[in-house]
Amino acid sequence: MARSTTFRANTKQDTLTEHVVGFLHRVSRALRNLADSADHAAKMVRKADAARRS
């Protein structure tokens, strides 16, 4: 009986771990996309600034 409970607990923990890993993967991707967008915006601002100065 104790072995069955331990197996069930491990299965729940594995499932939770999979959900956490998936969530962190999505957060990481979102942050990377946000950083790419910010980088692109900064480049456009610099380009507009250079065009205005010339």
Side-chain angles (χ1 to χ4, degrees):
M1 183 64 102
R3 186 174 192 174
S4 175
T5 304
T6 302
F7 176 74
R8 207 171 310 127
N10 286 342
T11 303
K12 287 182 181 179
Q13 189 174 10
D14 291 345
T15 302
L16 177 60
T17 301
E18 288 174 10
H19 285 297
V20 169
V21 168
F23 173 75
L24 291 176
H25 178 73
R26 289 190 302 274
V27 168
S28 175
R29 188 182 314 155
L31 289 174
R32 212 169 333 161
N33 289 343
L34 184 61
D36 288 346
S37 295
D39 185 49
H40 179 70
K43 286 178 185 175
M44 293 299 104
V45 167
R46 284 194 298 272
K47 187 176 180 180
D49 191 40
R52 199 172 11 140
R53 290 181 184 190
S54 59

Short mmCIF file of all heavy atoms in Angstrom, two decimals:
data_model
loop_
_atom_site.label_atom_id
_atom_site.label_comp_id
_atom_site.label_asym_id
_atom_site.label_seq_id
_atom_site.Cartn_x
_atom_site.Cartn_y
_atom_site.Cartn_z
N MET A 1 0.82 -1.20 0.00
CA MET A 1 0.00 0.00 0.00
C MET A 1 0.87 1.26 0.00
O MET A 1 0.61 2.18 -0.74
CB MET A 1 -0.93 -0.03 1.22
CG MET A 1 -1.87 1.15 1.27
SD MET A 1 -3.03 1.21 -0.08
CE MET A 1 -4.47 0.62 0.71
N ALA A 2 1.91 1.29 0.81
CA ALA A 2 2.77 2.46 0.86
C ALA A 2 3.47 2.67 -0.47
O ALA A 2 3.65 3.79 -0.93
CB ALA A 2 3.80 2.31 1.98
N ARG A 3 3.82 1.57 -1.12
CA ARG A 3 4.50 1.67 -2.40
C ARG A 3 3.57 2.29 -3.45
O ARG A 3 3.99 3.13 -4.24
CB ARG A 3 4.94 0.29 -2.84
CG ARG A 3 5.78 0.32 -4.07
CD ARG A 3 6.30 -1.07 -4.37
NE ARG A 3 7.32 -0.96 -5.37
CZ ARG A 3 8.06 -1.94 -5.78
NH1 ARG A 3 7.92 -3.13 -5.24
NH2 ARG A 3 8.95 -1.76 -6.71
N SER A 4 2.32 1.90 -3.46
CA SER A 4 1.33 2.44 -4.39
C SER A 4 1.15 3.95 -4.17
O SER A 4 1.10 4.72 -5.12
CB SER A 4 0.01 1.71 -4.22
OG SER A 4 -0.96 2.31 -5.03
N THR A 5 1.06 4.36 -2.92
CA THR A 5 0.90 5.78 -2.59
C THR A 5 2.12 6.57 -3.05
O THR A 5 2.00 7.66 -3.60
CB THR A 5 0.70 5.95 -1.08
OG1 THR A 5 -0.42 5.17 -0.69
CG2 THR A 5 0.46 7.39 -0.72
N THR A 6 3.31 6.00 -2.83
CA THR A 6 4.54 6.67 -3.25
C THR A 6 4.57 6.83 -4.77
O THR A 6 4.90 7.89 -5.28
CB THR A 6 5.78 5.87 -2.79
OG1 THR A 6 5.72 5.74 -1.38
CG2 THR A 6 7.06 6.58 -3.17
N PHE A 7 4.17 5.78 -5.48
CA PHE A 7 4.14 5.85 -6.94
C PHE A 7 3.16 6.93 -7.40
O PHE A 7 3.47 7.73 -8.27
CB PHE A 7 3.74 4.50 -7.54
CG PHE A 7 3.60 4.54 -9.03
CD1 PHE A 7 4.73 4.61 -9.84
CD2 PHE A 7 2.36 4.56 -9.64
CE1 PHE A 7 4.62 4.66 -11.21
CE2 PHE A 7 2.23 4.61 -11.01
CZ PHE A 7 3.37 4.67 -11.80
N ARG A 8 1.99 6.98 -6.76
CA ARG A 8 0.99 7.98 -7.11
C ARG A 8 1.52 9.38 -6.83
O ARG A 8 1.34 10.30 -7.62
CB ARG A 8 -0.30 7.71 -6.32
CG ARG A 8 -1.52 8.21 -7.03
CD ARG A 8 -2.82 7.79 -6.37
NE ARG A 8 -2.90 6.37 -6.11
CZ ARG A 8 -3.18 5.84 -4.92
NH1 ARG A 8 -3.45 6.61 -3.89
NH2 ARG A 8 -3.24 4.54 -4.74
N ALA A 9 2.19 9.56 -5.71
CA ALA A 9 2.76 10.87 -5.37
C ALA A 9 3.83 11.26 -6.37
O ALA A 9 3.90 12.42 -6.80
CB ALA A 9 3.33 10.84 -3.96
N ASN A 10 4.66 10.30 -6.77
CA ASN A 10 5.70 10.60 -7.76
C ASN A 10 5.08 10.98 -9.10
O ASN A 10 5.57 11.87 -9.79
CB ASN A 10 6.63 9.40 -7.94
CG ASN A 10 7.58 9.23 -6.78
OD1 ASN A 10 7.78 10.15 -6.00
ND2 ASN A 10 8.15 8.06 -6.64
N THR A 11 4.01 10.30 -9.48
CA THR A 11 3.33 10.62 -10.74
C THR A 11 2.76 12.03 -10.69
O THR A 11 2.90 12.79 -11.65
CB THR A 11 2.21 9.60 -11.02
OG1 THR A 11 2.78 8.29 -11.04
CG2 THR A 11 1.55 9.87 -12.33
N LYS A 12 2.14 12.40 -9.58
CA LYS A 12 1.62 13.76 -9.44
C LYS A 12 2.75 14.77 -9.47
O LYS A 12 2.63 15.83 -10.08
CB LYS A 12 0.83 13.89 -8.14
CG LYS A 12 -0.52 13.21 -8.16
CD LYS A 12 -1.25 13.41 -6.86
CE LYS A 12 -2.59 12.72 -6.87
NZ LYS A 12 -3.29 12.89 -5.58
N GLN A 13 3.86 14.44 -8.83
CA GLN A 13 4.99 15.36 -8.81
C GLN A 13 5.57 15.51 -10.21
O GLN A 13 5.92 16.61 -10.62
CB GLN A 13 6.06 14.85 -7.85
CG GLN A 13 7.19 15.84 -7.60
CD GLN A 13 8.16 15.37 -6.54
OE1 GLN A 13 8.10 14.22 -6.10
NE2 GLN A 13 9.04 16.23 -6.13
N ASP A 14 5.65 14.40 -10.96
CA ASP A 14 6.15 14.47 -12.33
C ASP A 14 5.24 15.33 -13.20
O ASP A 14 5.72 16.13 -14.01
CB ASP A 14 6.25 13.06 -12.94
CG ASP A 14 7.36 12.23 -12.30
OD1 ASP A 14 8.21 12.82 -11.62
OD2 ASP A 14 7.35 11.00 -12.50
N THR A 15 3.95 15.18 -13.01
CA THR A 15 2.99 15.98 -13.78
C THR A 15 3.15 17.46 -13.43
O THR A 15 3.17 18.31 -14.32
CB THR A 15 1.55 15.52 -13.49
OG1 THR A 15 1.44 14.14 -13.82
CG2 THR A 15 0.55 16.31 -14.30
N LEU A 16 3.28 17.76 -12.17
CA LEU A 16 3.49 19.14 -11.74
C LEU A 16 4.78 19.68 -12.33
O LEU A 16 4.83 20.81 -12.84
CB LEU A 16 3.52 19.24 -10.21
CG LEU A 16 3.80 20.63 -9.64
CD1 LEU A 16 2.72 21.63 -10.08
CD2 LEU A 16 3.88 20.57 -8.13
N THR A 17 5.83 18.87 -12.29
CA THR A 17 7.12 19.28 -12.86
C THR A 17 6.97 19.58 -14.34
O THR A 17 7.50 20.59 -14.83
CB THR A 17 8.17 18.17 -12.64
OG1 THR A 17 8.30 17.94 -11.24
CG2 THR A 17 9.52 18.58 -13.20
N GLU A 18 6.25 18.74 -15.06
CA GLU A 18 6.04 18.98 -16.49
C GLU A 18 5.30 20.29 -16.72
O GLU A 18 5.65 21.05 -17.64
CB GLU A 18 5.25 17.83 -17.11
CG GLU A 18 6.05 16.55 -17.23
CD GLU A 18 5.21 15.39 -17.72
OE1 GLU A 18 4.05 15.61 -18.14
OE2 GLU A 18 5.71 14.25 -17.66
N HIS A 19 4.30 20.58 -15.91
CA HIS A 19 3.55 21.83 -16.05
C HIS A 19 4.45 23.03 -15.76
O HIS A 19 4.40 24.04 -16.47
CB HIS A 19 2.35 21.86 -15.12
CG HIS A 19 1.22 21.00 -15.59
ND1 HIS A 19 0.55 21.23 -16.76
CD2 HIS A 19 0.65 19.90 -15.05
CE1 HIS A 19 -0.39 20.32 -16.93
NE2 HIS A 19 -0.35 19.50 -15.89
N VAL A 20 5.27 22.92 -14.72
CA VAL A 20 6.17 24.03 -14.37
C VAL A 20 7.19 24.26 -15.47
O VAL A 20 7.45 25.40 -15.87
CB VAL A 20 6.86 23.76 -13.01
CG1 VAL A 20 7.98 24.76 -12.76
CG2 VAL A 20 5.85 23.80 -11.88
N VAL A 21 7.77 23.18 -15.99
CA VAL A 21 8.76 23.31 -17.06
C VAL A 21 8.11 23.93 -18.30
O VAL A 21 8.70 24.81 -18.94
CB VAL A 21 9.40 21.94 -17.38
CG1 VAL A 21 10.19 21.99 -18.68
CG2 VAL A 21 10.29 21.49 -16.24
N GLY A 22 6.91 23.48 -18.63
CA GLY A 22 6.21 24.06 -19.78
C GLY A 22 5.92 25.53 -19.59
O GLY A 22 6.10 26.34 -20.51
N PHE A 23 5.49 25.89 -18.38
CA PHE A 23 5.21 27.29 -18.07
C PHE A 23 6.47 28.14 -18.19
O PHE A 23 6.46 29.21 -18.80
CB PHE A 23 4.62 27.40 -16.66
CG PHE A 23 4.45 28.81 -16.19
CD1 PHE A 23 3.43 29.60 -16.67
CD2 PHE A 23 5.33 29.35 -15.26
CE1 PHE A 23 3.27 30.91 -16.24
CE2 PHE A 23 5.19 30.65 -14.82
CZ PHE A 23 4.16 31.44 -15.31
N LEU A 24 7.57 27.65 -17.62
CA LEU A 24 8.83 28.40 -17.68
C LEU A 24 9.32 28.53 -19.12
O LEU A 24 9.89 29.56 -19.49
CB LEU A 24 9.89 27.75 -16.80
CG LEU A 24 9.62 27.83 -15.29
CD1 LEU A 24 10.69 27.06 -14.53
CD2 LEU A 24 9.56 29.27 -14.82
N HIS A 25 9.09 27.51 -19.93
CA HIS A 25 9.47 27.58 -21.33
C HIS A 25 8.69 28.68 -22.05
O HIS A 25 9.26 29.47 -22.80
CB HIS A 25 9.23 26.22 -22.00
CG HIS A 25 9.55 26.20 -23.45
ND1 HIS A 25 10.84 26.22 -23.92
CD2 HIS A 25 8.75 26.17 -24.55
CE1 HIS A 25 10.82 26.21 -25.24
NE2 HIS A 25 9.57 26.19 -25.64
N ARG A 26 7.37 28.74 -21.77
CA ARG A 26 6.55 29.78 -22.39
C ARG A 26 6.95 31.17 -21.90
O ARG A 26 6.99 32.12 -22.69
CB ARG A 26 5.07 29.52 -22.12
CG ARG A 26 4.53 28.33 -22.89
CD ARG A 26 3.02 28.21 -22.81
NE ARG A 26 2.51 28.09 -21.45
CZ ARG A 26 2.41 26.96 -20.76
NH1 ARG A 26 2.77 25.83 -21.30
NH2 ARG A 26 1.93 26.97 -19.53
N VAL A 27 7.26 31.31 -20.63
CA VAL A 27 7.69 32.60 -20.09
C VAL A 27 9.01 33.01 -20.73
O VAL A 27 9.19 34.17 -21.13
CB VAL A 27 7.83 32.53 -18.54
CG1 VAL A 27 8.55 33.75 -18.00
CG2 VAL A 27 6.45 32.41 -17.90
N SER A 28 9.92 32.06 -20.85
CA SER A 28 11.22 32.35 -21.46
C SER A 28 11.04 32.82 -22.91
O SER A 28 11.67 33.80 -23.33
CB SER A 28 12.09 31.09 -21.43
OG SER A 28 13.29 31.28 -22.11
N ARG A 29 10.17 32.14 -23.65
CA ARG A 29 9.93 32.53 -25.04
C ARG A 29 9.31 33.91 -25.11
O ARG A 29 9.68 34.73 -25.95
CB ARG A 29 9.03 31.51 -25.72
CG ARG A 29 8.90 31.76 -27.20
CD ARG A 29 7.98 30.80 -27.91
NE ARG A 29 8.21 29.43 -27.51
CZ ARG A 29 7.29 28.48 -27.58
NH1 ARG A 29 6.08 28.76 -28.01
NH2 ARG A 29 7.55 27.25 -27.22
N ALA A 30 8.36 34.19 -24.22
CA ALA A 30 7.71 35.51 -24.21
C ALA A 30 8.71 36.61 -23.88
O ALA A 30 8.69 37.68 -24.50
CB ALA A 30 6.57 35.51 -23.19
N LEU A 31 9.60 36.35 -22.92
CA LEU A 31 10.61 37.36 -22.58
C LEU A 31 11.59 37.58 -23.72
O LEU A 31 12.02 38.70 -23.98
CB LEU A 31 11.36 36.94 -21.31
CG LEU A 31 10.55 37.02 -20.02
CD1 LEU A 31 11.35 36.44 -18.86
CD2 LEU A 31 10.12 38.45 -19.73
N ARG A 32 11.94 36.50 -24.41
CA ARG A 32 12.83 36.63 -25.57
C ARG A 32 12.17 37.46 -26.66
O ARG A 32 12.80 38.34 -27.26
CB ARG A 32 13.17 35.24 -26.10
CG ARG A 32 14.55 35.14 -26.72
CD ARG A 32 14.93 33.71 -26.98
NE ARG A 32 14.20 32.90 -26.01
CZ ARG A 32 13.96 31.61 -26.11
NH1 ARG A 32 14.40 30.94 -27.08
NH2 ARG A 32 13.28 30.96 -25.21
N ASN A 33 10.88 37.19 -26.92
CA ASN A 33 10.14 37.97 -27.92
C ASN A 33 10.04 39.44 -27.51
O ASN A 33 10.17 40.33 -28.35
CB ASN A 33 8.74 37.39 -28.12
CG ASN A 33 8.76 36.06 -28.84
OD1 ASN A 33 9.75 35.70 -29.47
ND2 ASN A 33 7.68 35.33 -28.74
N LEU A 34 9.82 39.67 -26.23
CA LEU A 34 9.74 41.05 -25.73
C LEU A 34 11.09 41.76 -25.91
O LEU A 34 11.13 42.91 -26.35
CB LEU A 34 9.34 41.05 -24.26
CG LEU A 34 9.13 42.40 -23.60
CD1 LEU A 34 8.02 43.18 -24.30
CD2 LEU A 34 8.81 42.22 -22.13
N ALA A 35 12.17 41.07 -25.61
CA ALA A 35 13.50 41.65 -25.78
C ALA A 35 13.78 41.94 -27.25
O ALA A 35 14.33 43.00 -27.59
CB ALA A 35 14.56 40.72 -25.21
N ASP A 36 13.37 41.04 -28.13
CA ASP A 36 13.54 41.26 -29.57
C ASP A 36 12.74 42.48 -30.04
O ASP A 36 13.23 43.29 -30.83
CB ASP A 36 13.12 40.03 -30.38
CG ASP A 36 14.09 38.87 -30.24
OD1 ASP A 36 15.22 39.09 -29.74
OD2 ASP A 36 13.71 37.73 -30.60
N SER A 37 11.53 42.60 -29.52
CA SER A 37 10.69 43.74 -29.89
C SER A 37 11.29 45.06 -29.40
O SER A 37 11.30 46.06 -30.11
CB SER A 37 9.28 43.58 -29.31
OG SER A 37 8.64 42.48 -29.88
N ALA A 38 11.80 45.04 -28.18
CA ALA A 38 12.43 46.25 -27.62
C ALA A 38 13.67 46.61 -28.41
O ALA A 38 13.92 47.80 -28.68
CB ALA A 38 12.77 46.02 -26.14
N ASP A 39 14.44 45.61 -28.81
CA ASP A 39 15.65 45.85 -29.61
C ASP A 39 15.26 46.45 -30.96
O ASP A 39 15.89 47.42 -31.42
CB ASP A 39 16.41 44.53 -29.80
CG ASP A 39 17.72 44.73 -30.52
OD1 ASP A 39 18.50 45.64 -30.11
OD2 ASP A 39 17.99 43.98 -31.48
N HIS A 40 14.23 45.90 -31.57
CA HIS A 40 13.77 46.42 -32.86
C HIS A 40 13.28 47.87 -32.71
O HIS A 40 13.61 48.72 -33.54
CB HIS A 40 12.65 45.54 -33.40
CG HIS A 40 12.10 46.00 -34.70
ND1 HIS A 40 12.80 45.94 -35.88
CD2 HIS A 40 10.90 46.57 -35.01
CE1 HIS A 40 12.07 46.44 -36.86
NE2 HIS A 40 10.91 46.83 -36.35
N ALA A 41 12.53 48.14 -31.65
CA ALA A 41 12.03 49.50 -31.42
C ALA A 41 13.19 50.47 -31.22
O ALA A 41 13.17 51.59 -31.74
CB ALA A 41 11.10 49.52 -30.22
N ALA A 42 14.20 50.04 -30.48
CA ALA A 42 15.36 50.91 -30.24
C ALA A 42 16.09 51.21 -31.55
O ALA A 42 16.53 52.34 -31.78
CB ALA A 42 16.30 50.25 -29.24
N LYS A 43 16.20 50.22 -32.41
CA LYS A 43 16.85 50.43 -33.71
C LYS A 43 16.06 51.42 -34.56
O LYS A 43 16.65 52.28 -35.23
CB LYS A 43 16.98 49.10 -34.46
CG LYS A 43 18.05 48.20 -33.91
CD LYS A 43 18.09 46.89 -34.67
CE LYS A 43 19.09 45.94 -34.04
NZ LYS A 43 19.08 44.61 -34.69
N MET A 44 14.73 51.31 -34.53
CA MET A 44 13.90 52.22 -35.30
C MET A 44 14.02 53.65 -34.77
O MET A 44 14.06 54.61 -35.55
CB MET A 44 12.43 51.77 -35.27
CG MET A 44 12.17 50.47 -36.00
SD MET A 44 12.56 50.53 -37.75
CE MET A 44 14.10 49.61 -37.80
N VAL A 45 14.09 53.80 -33.46
CA VAL A 45 14.25 55.13 -32.86
C VAL A 45 15.59 55.72 -33.27
O VAL A 45 15.67 56.90 -33.66
CB VAL A 45 14.11 55.06 -31.33
CG1 VAL A 45 14.57 56.36 -30.67
CG2 VAL A 45 12.67 54.74 -30.95
N ARG A 46 16.65 54.91 -33.21
CA ARG A 46 17.96 55.41 -33.62
C ARG A 46 17.98 55.80 -35.10
O ARG A 46 18.55 56.81 -35.49
CB ARG A 46 19.04 54.36 -33.34
CG ARG A 46 19.40 54.24 -31.88
CD ARG A 46 20.68 53.45 -31.66
NE ARG A 46 20.60 52.07 -32.10
CZ ARG A 46 20.18 51.04 -31.39
NH1 ARG A 46 19.77 51.23 -30.15
NH2 ARG A 46 20.15 49.82 -31.89
N LYS A 47 17.31 54.98 -35.92
CA LYS A 47 17.25 55.27 -37.35
C LYS A 47 16.49 56.55 -37.60
O LYS A 47 16.93 57.40 -38.42
CB LYS A 47 16.58 54.10 -38.05
CG LYS A 47 16.60 54.18 -39.56
CD LYS A 47 16.00 52.92 -40.17
CE LYS A 47 16.00 52.97 -41.67
NZ LYS A 47 15.41 51.76 -42.25
N ALA A 48 15.36 56.75 -36.93
CA ALA A 48 14.58 57.97 -37.10
C ALA A 48 15.35 59.19 -36.61
O ALA A 48 15.32 60.26 -37.23
CB ALA A 48 13.26 57.85 -36.35
N ASP A 49 16.07 59.00 -35.50
CA ASP A 49 16.88 60.10 -34.94
C ASP A 49 17.98 60.49 -35.91
O ASP A 49 18.24 61.68 -36.15
CB ASP A 49 17.46 59.69 -33.60
CG ASP A 49 18.08 60.86 -32.86
OD1 ASP A 49 17.50 61.96 -32.90
OD2 ASP A 49 19.14 60.66 -32.23
N ALA A 50 18.64 59.48 -36.51
CA ALA A 50 19.71 59.77 -37.47
C ALA A 50 19.15 60.46 -38.71
O ALA A 50 19.77 61.38 -39.24
CB ALA A 50 20.41 58.46 -37.85
N ALA A 51 17.98 60.04 -39.15
CA ALA A 51 17.36 60.67 -40.33
C ALA A 51 16.98 62.12 -40.05
O ALA A 51 17.11 62.98 -40.90
CB ALA A 51 16.13 59.87 -40.76
N ARG A 52 16.52 62.36 -38.83
CA ARG A 52 16.14 63.72 -38.45
C ARG A 52 17.37 64.64 -38.39
O ARG A 52 17.29 65.81 -38.73
CB ARG A 52 15.45 63.67 -37.09
CG ARG A 52 14.61 64.87 -36.79
CD ARG A 52 13.80 64.70 -35.54
NE ARG A 52 14.23 63.53 -34.79
CZ ARG A 52 14.33 63.48 -33.46
NH1 ARG A 52 14.03 64.53 -32.76
NH2 ARG A 52 14.70 62.39 -32.85
N ARG A 53 18.49 64.08 -37.95
CA ARG A 53 19.71 64.90 -37.82
C ARG A 53 20.36 65.20 -39.15
O ARG A 53 21.06 66.20 -39.28
CB ARG A 53 20.71 64.19 -36.92
CG ARG A 53 20.29 64.14 -35.48
CD ARG A 53 21.32 63.45 -34.65
NE ARG A 53 20.85 63.34 -33.28
CZ ARG A 53 21.60 62.95 -32.28
NH1 ARG A 53 22.85 62.63 -32.48
NH2 ARG A 53 21.10 62.88 -31.08
N SER A 54 20.15 64.33 -40.14
CA SER A 54 20.85 64.55 -41.42
C SER A 54 20.07 65.44 -42.36
O SER A 54 19.06 65.97 -42.11
CB SER A 54 21.12 63.22 -42.10
OG SER A 54 19.91 62.52 -42.35
#
